[in-house]
Amino acid sequence: GHLEYDLELEPGADLGQVVISVEGAERLALDGQGSLLVHTPIGILRQPRPRSWYVGPEGERQPVNVHFRLLDESRYGFDLEGPPRPLALVVDPPIIWSTFLGGRWGGSVGEYIFGLETLPNGDVLVTGETSAPNFPTTPGAFDRSVEGLDAFVTRMSADGSSLVFSTVLGGIAGHSTSDSAAGLAVASDGSIIIAGRTGSTDFPVTQGALDTTLDGIDAFVTRLAPAGDQLIYSTYLGGSSLDDAFDVDVDPADRAVVVGRTISFDFPVSANAFDPTFNDVTGPFDGDGFVTYLSPNGDFVHYSSFLGGDGSDGAEAVVVDPAGTAVITGSAFSPDFPIRGLAFDSTHNGAFDAFLARVEPGLGTNALVLSTFYGGDNADSGRSIALGPDRSIVIAGQTASTDFPTTNNAYDRTLKGIESLFLVRFSASGEVRLSATLIGGSGDDQTRGGLVVDASNSPIVTGYTTSTDFPTTPGSFASQFLGSHTDSTLVRLSPAFDRLIYSTYLLGGDSDEWVFALDVDSLGVATVAGGVGTDSGFPVTEGAWDTSYNGFGDAFITRLALGPVLLFNGRPSGGSSVHFVLENAFPGEYGNEAQVLLSCSGTSGIPLPGGLDLPLTFDFCTAWSLAVAPALRATIDNTGIAKTPTITFPNNVPVGLTIHAAAVTWDPTIPRLVSVTCPLSVTAE
């Protein structure tokens, strides 16, 4: 539904000379917002007015206004406001859409999003917290009134322009913590399960639910109808003290599987729990982790157990495998945290260790089938967890340990700053560590809740950093630190954790922003969400639901294409060879192979398998390119592993000739072009 391209101009280049011709359009027009409307026989393609900026000497962005300029019925160009500057100019970043989500500030916080799911039709489901009395809700929603700090659930349309529904969930604040949702999952029938914590004595609970009375501060679990208009069930979950749910997933029987932390000795556990007794004896505000399977109707505990030792422990993230096993990560301060099975590490290493645990509820008192520490001599925390297509287990977190255990093939084995991100892959049983690496710069790098493993087994993780030297890759969205103090990051690693496929700073502006949630669809489109401190330079797109900053701590949702990147080494010269690699291509979007095609300016076309022909038309042509173009082809696959990736240039390459490269893919079953990456250009020496 979107056409995406970037224009990158060298310092001193004239944007006014850029002309784009649209083939197949009936006519071009501009609307009142400055968007370009391309009228076609099957509808209108709308391109919002481009966001643009100069790139300063230190890589900083200096925003500038650029407008579309119509030339005739099929051609358009661009107008630049103000006098040109001797700086590089970028027009239109690779953001599909970006929007704020919030109301005018009404308390100690505004809005933050902590959970996100992309639905099959592309809509985005998010949950979090708000204190804004005018938080946007929709007619017919379950609750439209914010009282204190409330949880919310919002479904945004796939194009980011409207709310499908939006509801708040909470009571009149009975405690300063009030109501906040942290975990989000979608059941098989499309109903929405959220989990978090509440201090409201009148939090909306349903008749017949497991627990309808607040005791201290409780966790809660709520199942909403798919339209967000009614409760299927809603219950407190906790004992007489503080209980907090951090994450939730759904098992094959449609049971909510909730993990978190509790300091309640009387937290509801089942009679056959693997640990029925509260363990923490070190202090009143430390606590145990917990794992709870709640019945599909929310009326009884199917299975529930403490998970911890005599110190402070918490279960922070859960994913349920196809067999119904809960796979959990978190942090353990307790040296006597329960270790089971063929643990990778049975010895507590430092202040906090990350941990991995597998719980099979059908085994009752033996349900904790595996549990292991993972960490070094300082604080290590497991923050998110995901399963690969081979059911391997990937944990993402953060570490301050200089001796954090990495594998020999790791992308990075050295802690460079205060904390670094880490990723660890275990076998499906959790008994074998396969890969482990650090990722970070010289500052503080953290993550919370943003981890996906794609169909090619590559992990994608988001975080936030104070590092101005966080590692980025060529072709990424932003290679420079953009925030005033904290900037968000997104990284895609190779399946072996030995190289970065894609790494970027994310959003920027002069403010701080924190990405807390991530999902990636089969087309390689990422949706991220979190909170932003101020509106200074934060990228929102025209036509999005909310383009105005609403107050301190506004939530945001941004959808961006991670896009393939074509990399190469060497320059063409007579008899020389150049090696090409396609990075960041997603199997769901592309065919099994891609072609790297080279031409000089103006090549009319190079034949592709399936009888396709790709026009690579740039400027005017020389006879040389037509003679040699059919030989200038390499074949690579989607993971960047080369098949025939090297192109050897003929001996008669003219010195100074500009040669263009593009990676193209096609559907091997249907002769049609699927994608073309952004072209690269090199000049023959």
Side-chain angles (χ1 to χ4, degrees):
H2 300 270
L3 177 64
E4 188 56 49
Y5 56 90
D6 298 346
L7 303 178
E8 299 183 5
L9 279 68
E10 296 284 350
D14 182 6
L15 179 62
Q17 293 190 38
V18 176
V19 176
I20 296 181
S21 176
V22 183
E23 189 174 302
E26 296 175 336
R27 65 183 179 91
L28 305 179
L30 297 177
D31 67 11
Q33 296 179 325
S35 299
L36 177 70
L37 305 179
V38 181
H39 292 259
T40 78
I42 59 171
I44 297 175
L45 179 67
R46 181 179 182 271
Q47 295 185 45
R49 184 168 65 85
R51 287 176 49 83
S52 309
W53 61 85
Y54 286 110
V55 180
E58 304 299 324
E60 70 276 11
R61 295 184 179 187
Q62 303 174 15
V64 63
N65 288 326
V66 169
H67 306 274
F68 289 116
R69 172 167 48 92
L70 296 183
L71 300 175
D72 53 37
E73 291 291 294
S74 63
R75 297 185 309 144
Y76 67 92
F78 304 88
D79 283 329
L80 175 68
E81 286 188 6
R85 305 178 208 170
L87 298 172
L89 175 67
V90 177
V91 179
D92 198 5
I95 290 178
I96 298 173
W97 54 262
S98 184
T99 183
F100 291 117
L101 177 66
R104 185 58 56 184
W105 178 51
S108 58
V109 297
E111 290 87 23
Y112 293 96
I113 290 170
F114 299 123
L116 182 153
E117 293 278 347
T118 302
L119 300 179
N121 70 342
D123 287 357
V124 182
L125 196 65
V126 294
T127 192
E129 64 185 25
T130 179
S131 63
N134 60 344
F135 180 83
T137 58
T138 50
F142 169 72
D143 186 355
R144 305 191 66 185
S145 300
V146 175
E147 301 285 351
L149 180 68
D150 276 359
F152 67 83
V153 180
T154 298
R155 180 169 175 171
M156 182 76 66
S157 63
D159 62 2
S161 66
S162 62
L163 302 182
V164 178
F165 74 78
S166 185
T167 184
V168 293
L169 187 69
I172 298 174
H175 193 279
S176 60
T177 56
S178 202
D179 316 300
S180 177
L184 171 68
V186 179
S188 60
D189 62 355
S191 59
I192 303 151
I193 299 176
I194 63 170
R197 72 165 182 262
T198 177
S200 298
T201 56
D202 57 348
F203 187 86
V205 292
T206 51
Q207 186 175 3
L210 169 70
D211 185 354
T212 59
T213 303
L214 180 75
D215 297 299
I217 297 173
D218 277 353
F220 73 82
V221 185
T222 297
R223 186 167 180 170
L224 276 168
D229 55 350
Q230 58 183 323
L231 303 181
I232 296 174
Y233 72 74
S234 186
T235 183
Y236 294 111
L237 177 65
S240 57
S241 193
L242 187 150
D243 316 285
D244 201 346
F246 295 148
D247 198 13
V248 64
D249 202 2
V250 183
D251 77 353
D254 256 2
R255 295 180 290 238
V257 183
V258 188
V259 297
R261 178 174 167 271
T262 178
I263 61 173
S264 297
F265 70 92
D266 54 351
F267 185 88
V269 296
S270 50
N272 59 346
F274 63 82
D275 184 358
T277 306
F278 183 67
N279 303 280
D280 179 21
V281 296
T282 60
F285 300 110
D286 292 328
D288 273 357
F290 69 81
V291 53
T292 299
Y293 283 70
L294 197 61
S295 67
N297 295 322
D299 53 353
F300 68 92
V301 166
H302 172 74
Y303 188 83
S304 185
S305 178
F306 291 109
L307 177 61
D310 63 8
S312 177
D313 312 300
E316 299 197 28
V318 62
V319 61
V320 179
D321 73 13
T325 300
V327 189
I328 305 165
T329 192
S331 57
F333 187 77
S334 303
D336 63 341
F337 186 89
I339 300 301
R340 299 288 186 272
L342 298 177
F344 171 80
D345 185 356
S346 59
T347 304
H348 193 259
N349 301 281
F352 281 93
D353 267 2
F355 71 80
L356 166 66
R358 295 181 65 245
V359 176
E360 296 183 19
L363 298 180
T365 56
N366 298 313
L368 184 61
V369 294
L370 178 118
S371 182
T372 182
F373 292 118
Y374 200 91
D377 60 5
N378 209 323
D380 316 290
S381 299
R383 305 304 298 270
S384 51
I385 194 165
L387 301 181
D390 59 355
R391 298 192 185 180
S392 62
I393 302 164
V394 177
I395 294 173
Q398 60 211 40
T399 178
S401 298
T402 56
D403 61 343
F404 186 85
T406 57
T407 46
N408 291 333
N409 66 336
Y411 161 73
D412 189 354
R413 307 189 70 184
T414 305
L415 180 73
K416 299 180 176 65
I418 301 169
E419 289 184 287
S420 282
L421 304 184
F422 72 77
L423 285 103
V424 182
R425 188 194 297 275
F426 290 91
S427 62
S429 66
E431 297 173 344
V432 180
R433 182 193 63 172
L434 302 174
S435 303
T437 190
L438 301 175
I439 307 169
S442 58
D444 191 6
D445 305 294
Q446 300 190 32
T447 181
R448 172 180 172 171
L451 175 66
V452 172
V453 180
D454 68 24
S456 68
N457 222 5
S458 288
I460 303 167
V461 61
T462 58
Y464 40 96
T465 182
T466 63
S467 298
T468 58
D469 56 351
F470 190 86
T472 60
T473 53
S476 63
F477 171 67
S479 60
Q480 299 288 330
F481 184 81
L482 302 173
S484 62
H485 180 68
T486 302
D487 209 353
S488 296
T489 56
L490 183 146
V491 175
R492 183 178 184 225
L493 272 172
S494 63
F497 294 10
D498 57 350
R499 60 192 173 93
L500 299 182
I501 294 177
Y502 188 85
S503 184
T504 186
Y505 293 104
L506 260 181
L507 299 172
D510 297 330
S511 178
D512 297 333
E513 83 270 342
W514 304 269
V515 169
F516 296 135
L518 160 76
D519 201 6
V520 180
D521 68 16
S522 62
L523 300 180
V525 175
T527 306
V528 297
V532 61
T534 71
D535 66 342
S536 181
F538 186 85
V540 290
T541 52
E542 290 201 35
W545 159 252
D546 185 356
T547 59
S548 299
Y549 184 72
N550 302 288
F552 178 79
D554 217 1
F556 67 84
I557 308 171
T558 299
R559 174 164 285 177
L560 67 161
L562 302 183
V565 179
L566 181 63
L567 307 178
F568 61 96
N569 59 15
R571 281 188 173 276
S573 60
S576 70
S577 295
V578 176
H579 181 78
F580 292 83
V581 175
L582 181 67
E583 296 280 25
N584 209 49
F586 284 74
E589 181 178 9
Y590 306 110
N592 294 324
E593 295 181 350
Q595 295 280 299
V596 176
L597 305 179
L598 300 187
S599 75
C600 83
S601 299
T603 299
S604 60
I606 299 177
L608 294 171
L612 298 173
D613 190 72
L614 173 70
L616 291 176
T617 303
F618 294 90
D619 296 310
F620 294 100
C621 185
T622 67
W624 179 86
S625 68
L626 289 176
V628 301
L632 301 182
R633 177 187 301 167
T635 303
I636 56 184
D637 72 12
N638 283 346
T639 63
I641 300 174
K643 295 188 175 180
T644 56
T646 301
I647 293 177
T648 301
F649 291 91
N651 289 323
N652 61 340
V653 176
V655 174
L657 177 70
T658 297
I659 296 178
H660 306 280
V664 302
T665 59
W666 61 92
D667 188 326
T669 60
I670 305 173
R672 65 182 179 89
L673 188 65
V674 178
S675 180
V676 181
T677 72
C678 296
L680 300 173
S681 297
V682 291
T683 301
E685 297 176 343

